[in-house]
Amino acid sequence: MAEDYTRMWTDLGLDLKAHDALLGVLGPLYEKTFMQQTDRPEGMKYFDFVMSEVHGLRIKELMDAKAAGRKVFGSFCVFVPEELILAVDGILVGLCAGAEFAPDEAEKLLPRNTCALIKGAFGFAVARVCPYLAAADVVVGENTCDGKKKSYEIFRDLVNDLYVMDLPQVKSEAGRELLRHECKRFAARVEEVSGRTIEVDALKKAIDTVNAKRSAMHRLAKLRAAEPAPISGLDALLANQVFFYDDPERFTKSVNAICDELESRTKKGEGVAQKGTPRILVSGCPMAVPNWKLPSIIESSGAVIVGEESCVGERGTRHLTGVEGNSVDALMDNIVDRYFKIDCAVFTPNPSRLDHIREMARDYKADGVIQYSIQFCSPYQIESGPVERALERDGIPVLRVDTDYSQQDSEQIRTRVEAFVERLQD
Amino acid sequence: MTVHAGIDIGSRTIKLVLLEDGRISKTAVTDATYDPIAVCRDLLADVDCRAITATGYGRRLFSRGRSCNVVSEIKAVAQGARFLSAGCRAVLDVGGQDTKVVTLDSRGKLDKFLMNDRCAAGTGRFLEVMAGALSYTYEQFTAAALSATQAEKLNSMCAVFAESEVISLVAQGASREGIALGIHESVATRTLSLMKGLTLSDTIMFAGGGASNPCLRRQIEAGLGRELYVPENPRVVAALGAALCNGEKEKQNGRRQFDAASDQIVRVGGWRA
Ligand code: SF4
Ligand code: SF4
C-alpha cells in the first residue's frame, strides 16, 4: 500500500482488525475476478487504481473535503437526488452493502429472512468496517421496499445522522406530488446541513455535472452493442459501481477515455469475446461492490454480458435531468420529473420496467436475459415471474437466478448458467 | 469405427456410456467414492475413444488438464432423452443431489429448465438418508413403502428436521411402512411442485436414479394423472447425452475454424484461438 491510512481509519472509528480482515478478502477477490480477464481496455487501469484505493485515497479526499467544510451524504438508493447535494457543494457517496460481513451481528438486529443487501449494510455498520458510512455526515434512507423502510427504524442507532425520504409507490399525480414534496423537504435539509442556500446557477451546474456522468455511461452502454462486445460485463459493471462514489468529474473523464478506446476497438472489429459468443442482459436487483458472483459465473461460462437493467446500471443512469428553467423551482420540477421515471419494482404497477428490458435486449442484441433477484426481495422476485413470461412470449430466453451473497451455491448457479448458455447456442 | 464417450460424474455415482458409430456399446455405473477422479480413471482405463465429454457435478474437475469437452447435466439429459425417445419433449431427472425438470422444443433442442433449491430436500440423497433413519436398506425401504396401506404425513422437507420427525413418529408407534410411504409422498409432492413450474408435454421421460424407485414413480404418476416413460437404464441418460454431445462439439469446432478463415480478426477472450 502506497500510504499508511491507519491513522485516518482510527480517527473514523473503524475497527481496525475487522477492517483488515475485510481488505484481506476484497483485494484477492478483486484480483481473481478482474485481473485475470484478458484484452481489458487500457482505461480500466483507472478503475483498478480506484478499487485499490477504495478505502484509502478516496476516503482521504472525503476527509480533506470535510475539513474544508463540505458535507458528505451517503445513500442506499438511486432515488436520492445527487443534484441537490452538489448544488451546496456537498458530496454524495453510494453505500455499497454488496457483501456479507458479520452476519451474526446483523441477525441480532434483523430477522434471518431479510435480503442480503440490507443485512450487508447492517453488518458493515455494526462491525465498523465501512469508512464511507463513518465519513458520512448524513445517511439518507428512503421508504422503498418494506425491508428497507422498516430496517431504517433500527439503522438509525448505528449511524451519525439518518434522514429518511418518503417515496411514492404509485406513478399517479398524487405520487408525483409526494415526490415533489419530498425533494423540497430534502433540499431544505441539505441547505440546513451545509449552511448554504441552493442557488439557480449552482443547481444548474450540479445538474450538468450529474448529467455528464450519466451521459458517459450512456455512451459506454451504446458501445457495448457492438459485436464482438468490446468490454466485458464485469468491467462495465465495475464502472457502474464506481459511479456511486468517485468524484463525478474525474469519473466522467475516465469513462469517456474508455469509450474512446472502445470506439477504436470496435472500428477494428476487436472485442473481448469471440464473435458469436452468446450475449446476455442481466436484469433485476442492484449489484453493489463487491457483489460480482453472478457476472463472473456468467462470463466464465462462455457468455458475455452486454447490459445491466439494474440500479447499478441503466435503471439508475438512463434518464437525464432537464436543464431548462431559470428558477430553483423550475429546476426542481425537472428533478422531480427525472426521478419519478425510475422504474423500481417497489412501484405498482411497474410496466415501464418491462418495456425497458425489451428495449435493452433489442438495442444491445442480447440473446437472452438473466433475471437476478436477491433472496427475500419480494418486489423483484415477484416481478420476475411476469417479466419472464412476457419475454419468453416475445421469444427472448430467460433464466431466473435467486441468490444471496454466500458462495455456497456458486456451483449450482454455474450449472444453470451453463445450461442456459447452451440453450442460447443451440 | 468411431467411439464417443460420455461420462457423468455425479455426487453419488459415476456413469459411463460409450457410443460406437452412434449405437450404445457400453454402459457402466459405479460409486463416486471419496476420489471420483480415480474412479473415472479406472472406468476409462481400457477405453479407446475418439472424444469424450464430461457432465455432472465433477465435470470441471475431471476436464482439468485433459482434452475433454464439458456440458451441463441439463443439456446432457435433454440430449440423452431425445436419443432414446424421438418425440420426447420433457424430462424429469431425480438424481442423488438434485432434481431437475427440462423441456425440449419441437426440434429437440433444450428449452426451459428448473432445478431444486440448494438443499437436498426432494432428491435421491434425501430418500437414502430417510431409509437409514428407518434402519432399512434402500431396496427394503421402497418395498416397505409400496406395501403400506396408509401414509404417515411428514411435515418437514429438510433432511435434518425430517430425520428427527421420523424418529419421533417411530417413538409414537407409527408403522414403519407408513412412514416410508409418507417420505416417498413428500418427495413426490416436492417434485410435482417443481414440475408445475413448467408447461410439460404429454410424454415425460423419468431419468436419474430416482426413476428406478417404483414407489416414487407411482406417487408422481398418481399426482400427474398420467404415466411417465422410464427408459431401460434411467441412470445413464445424462452420460448418454454427454456422449452424443461429442459430435456436436466437433461440428461446432469445425464452424469455428471456418469463422477464423473468413474473418480477418477473431479475438478470443482468454482462450485465444
Ligand atoms: S431497486 Fe429500488 S429501492 Fe433499490 S436502489 Fe433501486 S430504486 Fe432504490
Ligand atoms: S434488494 Fe429488494 S429487498 Fe433488498 S433492499 Fe433492494 S428492494 Fe429491498
Side-chain angles (χ1 to χ4, degrees):
Chain A
M1 186 159 294
E3 212 174 313
D4 187 8
Y5 295 111
T6 318
R7 180 68 200 276
M8 177 175 80
W9 293 330
T10 316
D11 291 347
L12 276 168
L14 299 191
D15 176 338
L16 286 183
K17 237 179 99 197
H19 183 251
D20 276 350
L22 174 68
L23 292 188
V25 175
L26 247 182
L29 179 65
Y30 187 81
E31 281 280 319
K32 198 176 104 208
T33 314
F34 287 89
M35 305 310 280
Q36 286 173 16
Q37 302 178 92
T38 51
D39 295 326
R40 296 179 81 208
E42 271 300 298
M44 283 311 294
K45 292 221 168 88
Y46 170 72
F47 291 95
D48 293 339
F49 175 71
V50 169
M51 283 307 292
S52 71
E53 287 289 343
V54 68
H55 280 197
L57 203 55
R58 183 61 184 142
I59 299 298
K60 188 166 180 302
E61 285 180 352
L62 296 185
M63 298 317 284
D64 292 347
K66 278 162 71 97
R70 297 173 68 190
K71 295 292 171 192
V72 175
F73 293 75
S75 87
F76 288 103
C77 175
V78 297
F79 266 102
V80 178
E82 185 170 7
E83 293 89 337
L84 298 176
I85 294 166
L86 296 191
V88 298
D89 203 25
I91 299 171
L92 177 66
V93 289
L95 301 166
C96 41
E100 183 176 68
F101 202 86
D104 307 342
E105 294 301 314
E107 280 174 13
K108 279 186 197 155
L109 299 169
L110 295 168
R112 285 188 74 181
N113 57 350
T114 307
C115 100
L117 209 145
I118 299 171
K119 251 196 242 172
F122 272 65
F124 276 79
V126 180
R128 291 184 289 120
V129 291
C130 179
Y132 290 90
L133 195 59
D137 297 290
V138 181
V139 172
V140 189
E142 68 325 302
N143 292 341
T144 44
C145 63
D146 284 353
K148 277 207 273 184
K149 79 184 169 211
K150 294 306 286 181
S151 299
Y152 287 128
E153 294 169 12
I154 307 171
F155 202 60
R156 188 173 293 283
D157 296 334
L158 305 178
V159 295
N160 303 333
D161 182 4
L162 181 78
Y163 174 88
V164 178
M165 264 180 96
D166 195 15
L167 287 180
Q169 309 223 317
V170 179
K171 302 238 168 134
S172 59
E173 259 324 297
R176 185 189 299 270
E177 268 321 302
L178 172 59
L179 184 61
R180 186 190 320 276
H181 177 264
E182 283 301 303
C183 284
K184 287 203 168 140
R185 190 169 72 90
F186 182 58
R189 183 55 186 275
V190 163
E191 289 182 328
E192 181 198 318
V193 172
S194 65
R196 293 168 168 242
T197 2
I198 297 177
E199 309 282 359
V200 180
D201 290 342
L203 186 52
K204 269 204 164 151
K205 185 161 168 275
I207 294 176
D208 284 338
T209 305
V210 186
N211 278 347
K213 102 172 158 166
R214 292 173 184 143
S215 300
M217 293 314 286
H218 299 171
R219 197 178 153 208
L220 177 63
K222 290 214 180 70
L223 283 162
R224 293 166 76 192
E227 166 73 354
I231 184 170
S232 70
L234 272 168
D235 279 339
L237 172 64
L238 186 67
N240 274 298
Q241 290 173 331
V242 170
F243 180 95
F244 286 86
Y245 52 83
D246 199 7
D247 171 77
E249 276 154 30
R250 187 174 56 206
F251 175 83
T252 304
K253 239 196 279 160
S254 313
V255 172
N256 277 320
I258 291 185
C259 291
D260 293 340
E261 203 184 328
L262 299 189
E263 252 160 33
S264 73
R265 269 190 176 194
T266 304
K267 271 195 203 113
K268 284 185 268 176
E270 291 178 2
V272 285
Q274 190 180 21
K275 254 191 180 168
T277 300
R279 302 163 64 90
I280 287 181
L281 175 70
V282 176
S283 161
C285 289
M287 288 181 188
V289 170
N291 179 7
W292 304 307
K293 178 168 83 171
L294 181 62
S296 88
I297 291 176
I298 296 173
E299 295 205 321
S300 59
S301 297
V304 62
I305 299 168
V306 293
E308 299 72 31
E309 189 279 321
S310 159
C311 282
V312 183
E314 210 167 292
R315 192 187 314 128
T317 57
R318 70 193 279 224
H319 302 291
L320 297 181
T321 303
V323 288
E324 326 69 45
N326 286 313
S327 64
V328 170
D329 270 350
L331 294 174
M332 192 68 112
D333 281 344
N334 299 347
I335 292 175
V336 173
D337 287 345
R338 190 264 166 200
Y339 284 85
F340 200 53
K341 283 188 206 141
I342 298 173
D343 35 30
C344 169
V346 301
F347 278 89
T348 182
N350 189 30
S352 58
R353 176 163 169 244
L354 176 60
D355 296 339
H356 184 218
I357 300 173
R358 284 191 172 120
E359 200 179 288
M360 286 182 79
R362 186 193 61 218
D363 292 352
Y364 307 141
K365 306 188 189 79
D367 299 304
V369 174
I370 296 189
Q371 286 210 77
Y372 165 74
S373 303
I374 299 179
Q375 257 155 22
F376 310 121
C377 169
S378 315
Y380 285 91
Q381 282 186 310
I382 294 176
E383 223 171 83
S384 70
V387 167
E388 172 177 22
R389 287 189 286 277
L391 294 177
E392 289 271 0
R393 259 200 309 277
D394 292 355
I396 304 171
V398 176
L399 175 72
R400 273 199 262 171
V401 174
D402 291 4
T403 182
D404 58 16
Y405 292 166
S406 73
Q407 297 296 323
Q408 286 169 26
D409 58 350
S410 295
E411 282 313 302
Q412 278 170 327
I413 294 178
R414 184 180 292 285
T415 300
R416 291 167 213 215
V417 169
E418 282 185 7
F420 185 62
V421 172
E422 286 159 355
R423 177 182 171 199
L424 300 180
Q425 281 167 334
D426 260 355
Chain B
M1 183 188 76
T2 324
V3 178
H4 283 161
I7 190 157
D8 174 8
I9 305 138
S11 60
R12 315 285 300 156
T13 52
I14 295 172
K15 284 77 69 176
L16 174 74
V17 169
L18 297 185
L19 278 178
E20 219 175 285
D21 292 329
R23 264 203 308 270
I24 300 172
S25 62
K26 178 184 171 163
T27 64
V29 180
T30 58
D31 277 345
T33 75
Y34 62 91
D35 188 358
I37 299 307
V39 175
C40 295
R41 219 180 295 127
D42 289 347
L43 265 178
L44 292 165
D46 43 52
V47 171
D48 179 19
C49 61
R50 165 129 161 221
I52 179 160
T53 293
T55 187
Y57 184 66
R59 64 191 181 281
R60 282 179 170 258
L61 188 63
F62 175 79
S63 70
R64 221 165 275 161
R66 200 187 300 255
S67 90
C68 151
N69 303 314
V70 288
V71 65
S72 73
E73 49 264 46
I74 294 164
K75 161 116 188 223
V77 85
Q79 292 280 105
R82 190 72 181 184
F83 179 85
L84 294 171
S85 156
C88 179
R89 297 282 301 272
V91 193
L92 163 67
D93 181 319
V94 177
Q97 191 178 248
D98 49 44
T99 295
K100 41 193 168 287
V101 190
V102 183
T103 60
L104 293 85
D105 67 14
S106 54
R107 299 165 304 149
K109 303 284 185 201
L110 171 63
D111 194 20
K112 301 285 289 177
F113 55 86
L114 289 173
M115 273 171 94
N116 65 312
D117 293 336
R118 59 180 89 183
C119 69
T123 68
R125 179 74 189 133
F126 178 80
L127 289 168
E128 280 176 24
V129 171
M130 292 304 119
L134 287 170
S135 319
Y136 278 135
T137 64
Y138 195 71
E139 288 67 28
Q140 288 169 339
F141 176 57
T142 47
L146 281 172
S147 73
T149 42
Q150 209 185 334
E152 290 291 339
K153 191 157 171 47
L154 238 79
N155 295 308
S156 185
M157 272 311 302
C158 162
V160 179
F161 291 124
E163 193 166 356
S164 42
E165 214 183 325
V166 164
I167 292 166
S168 71
L169 280 171
V170 171
Q172 286 162 29
S175 97
R176 229 166 132 208
E177 290 79 11
I179 301 173
L181 181 59
I183 292 165
H184 280 82
E185 215 157 64
S186 73
V187 173
T189 308
R190 183 93 169 190
T191 308
L192 285 161
S193 79
L194 189 71
M195 295 174 85
K196 288 211 182 85
L198 292 180
T199 320
L200 302 178
S201 64
D202 291 339
T203 359
I204 304 169
M205 177 179 290
F206 190 8
S212 309
N213 178 327
C215 183
L216 184 63
R217 177 180 172 183
R218 189 187 73 184
Q219 300 299 104
I220 296 174
E221 285 178 339
L224 282 175
R226 59 176 128 140
E227 277 185 19
L228 294 166
Y229 165 64
V230 180
E232 206 181 288
N233 195 347
R235 285 183 174 210
V236 302
V237 178
L240 168 64
L244 290 162
C245 285
N246 286 307
E248 197 171 293
K249 277 277 166 21
E250 273 168 21
K251 256 188 274 157
Q252 260 180 21
N253 290 342
R255 208 181 311 141
R256 206 160 277 161
Q257 276 157 18
F258 174 74
D259 277 353
S262 60
D263 295 307
Q264 280 89 355
I265 311 151
V266 177
R267 304 259 277 178
V268 186
W271 70 103
R272 206 172 289 272

